[in-house]
Amino acid sequence: MAVPSTNVKFSDIWSEANGTYSTGILSLNTMSFFSYFAGPNGSTSQADNNWGQGEASGANRIYGTSAKTTLIQVGDFDGLTYFYDNSTFQVTLNITNNLTSTPPPPFPIDNDVTANVELWGFGFSYQYLAGGGNAAAPGTFGPSSISQTNDPIIFRGYWKVAIGGLFPSFAGGTADLSINGISKFTGETLPAGPGATTFDSATYGTEDVAAFGGFTGLYFDITVN
């Protein structure tokens, strides 16, 4: 569901972020200013989910809104969607594993890989999305949705991606990552053995929600060589 495109009421804006409205006084300034992370899934300084146009200069605002603290209008929210629906809005993960595994003798090498994506608020204080998958060697995972329908569509992806071998006999490799078709890194080392190496947007750069791969959201494309 989305906020209506016309004749929007305060209750429509609140309901898109929180569920069916019943009673109570609503403040447009409050709904506009505070972010999702000030609400029940963050600091809990606010009782409800809000839209984040003003808090932290709009760093955690919902996709489709603009950063501002004045001249707030009901029309700012016309037609907007608060949560991923996995039909129009989606976070997607695709993994391509170009490594091969070697059976014994002399000893087996299992180069299956695993990757996990996390999305956080600005400053990495609160996580709001996590999902991942495994890819055989050689093989692929996805492209598949890793978003849930209660994950908010924060306009900018502050991300962490962990990539590594799935088994102790992983021989090591390198990884490439693009988000929405924009390269974040290429040829980053993955050590031998089990466990993952974590990369993040503080080092490699954020990416904004955009239309890519058939959805509006964030499309994480990982290649292991």
Side-chain angles (χ1 to χ4, degrees), residues 9 14 25 53 62 70 87 93 115 127 135 147 160 175 185 220:
K9 305 183 293 293
W14 187 92
I25 297 173
Q53 288 184 283
I62 296 297
T70 60
S87 58
L93 174 62
Q127 180 185 328
S147 47
K160 295 182 181 181
F185 58 75
F220 290 81

Side-chain angles (χ1 to χ4, degrees), residues 51-161:
W51 293 76
Q53 288 184 283
E55 186 180 73
S57 300
N60 290 317
R61 67 187 184 270
I62 296 297
Y63 173 73
T65 61
S66 57
K68 63 179 181 176
T69 57
T70 60
L71 302 177
I72 309 301
Q73 302 175 33
V74 171
D76 293 342
F77 306 91
D78 288 359
L80 298 187
T81 299
Y82 196 94
F83 296 104
Y84 284 102
D85 57 13
N86 295 339
S87 58
T88 301
F89 301 93
Q90 179 172 296
V91 179
T92 304
L93 174 62
N94 186 66
I95 307 170
T96 301
N97 184 2
N98 292 322
L99 299 176
T100 57
S101 293
T102 304
F107 54 86
I109 295 175
D110 194 327
N111 281 328
D112 292 4
V113 297
T114 186
N116 189 72
V117 174
E118 298 175 356
L119 291 177
W120 293 70
F122 175 75
F124 294 99
S125 295
Y126 299 104
Q127 180 185 328
Y128 66 95
L129 183 151
N134 304 326
T140 61
F141 170 87
S144 296
S145 169
I146 56 170
S147 47
Q148 305 297 318
T149 55
N150 60 351
D151 294 331
I153 312 173
I154 307 300
F155 89 105
R156 177 162 292 161
Y158 308 103
W159 54 268
K160 295 182 181 181
V161 174

